């Protein structure tokens, strides 16, 4: 067996795996927080993230007129576009989450229904949100333009370290630390 391929690809795959794994952990934290507070598995959690993603694409393409063919942004234009996308995506996700909680969960919790009713309601909310997105997008894939240029910061044992990978890793770790401090101190 030839182990040279494994040795050559170890560091690039490790770094990209850590980056992708941290994104998965952020999503799983949403499930964990909802279950920890409400004792409810919220199947609509990923659809709430989807609403934020669609809002980000709308901000990039609809509000700032950045297309798939335009060059990546720099400086204050990049900063303001990312800030606008972040704020509007959080707002859209938050409003959607509140609506789902009011419509699908609050009345069930007030009546003291069993967990099965809440579980069925969560699945229904998930289906409604995903099908609404499918209908609004006409079942077509939505492409997101590249706002950030693929800048290489250097190599580490043959692994190309890009700016977007570093941003994902650093921001994820900061979010974990902030969430931990918020939960433990509040």
């Amino acid at each position: 067996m030839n182990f040279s391929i494994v040795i050559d690809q170890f560091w690039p795959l490790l770094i990209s795996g850590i980056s992708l794994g941290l994104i998965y952990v952020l999503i799983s934290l949403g499930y964990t927080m909802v279950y920890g507070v409400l004792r409810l598995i919220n199947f609509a959690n990923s659809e709430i993230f989807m609403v934020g993603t669609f809002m980000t694409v709308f901000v990039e393409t609809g509000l700032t007129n950045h297309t798939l063919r335009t060059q990546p942004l720099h400086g204050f234009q990049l900063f303001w576009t990312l800030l606008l996308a972040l704020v509007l995506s959080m707002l859209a996700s938050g409003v959607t989450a509140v609506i789902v909680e009011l419509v699908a969960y609050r009345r069930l919790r007030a009546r003291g229904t069993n967990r099965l009713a809440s579980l069925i309601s969560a699945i229904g909310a998930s289906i409604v949100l995903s099908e609404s997105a499918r209908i609004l997008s006409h079942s077509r894939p939505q492409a997101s333009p590249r706002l950030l240029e693929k800048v290489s910061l250097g190599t580490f044992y043959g692994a190309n370290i890009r700016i977007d990978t570093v941003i994902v890793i650093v921001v994820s770790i900061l979010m974990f630390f902030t969430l931990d401090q918020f939960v433990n101190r509040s």
Side-chain angles (χ1 to χ4, degrees), residues 136-173:
L136 290 172
S137 66
H138 304 290
S139 298
R140 293 190 186 109
Q142 303 297 311
S144 177
R146 178 167 287 283
L147 295 180
L148 191 62
E149 193 172 349
K150 290 183 181 180
V151 176
S152 177
L153 299 176
T155 59
F156 180 76
Y157 290 105
N160 186 20
I161 309 297
R162 289 191 346 217
I163 187 73
D164 54 346
T165 306
V166 172
I167 289 172
V168 166
I169 292 171
V170 170
V171 169
S172 296
I173 291 171

Side-chain angles (χ1 to χ4, degrees), residues 55-91:
M55 179 56 77
T56 299
V57 172
F58 172 73
V59 167
E60 292 172 352
T61 58
L63 294 181
T64 62
N65 296 325
H66 195 73
T67 66
L68 295 173
R69 292 189 174 94
T70 55
Q71 294 297 317
L73 302 176
H74 299 284
F76 282 113
Q77 188 179 13
L78 174 65
F79 175 77
W80 289 115
T81 302
L82 290 176
L83 183 64
L84 182 65
L86 177 68
V87 169
L88 290 181
S89 296
M90 289 186 333
L91 185 65

Side-chain angles (χ1 to χ4, degrees), residues 1-9:
M1 184 168 186
N2 186 358
F3 285 104
S4 65
I5 295 173
V6 174
I7 293 169
D8 291 341
Q9 293 297 315

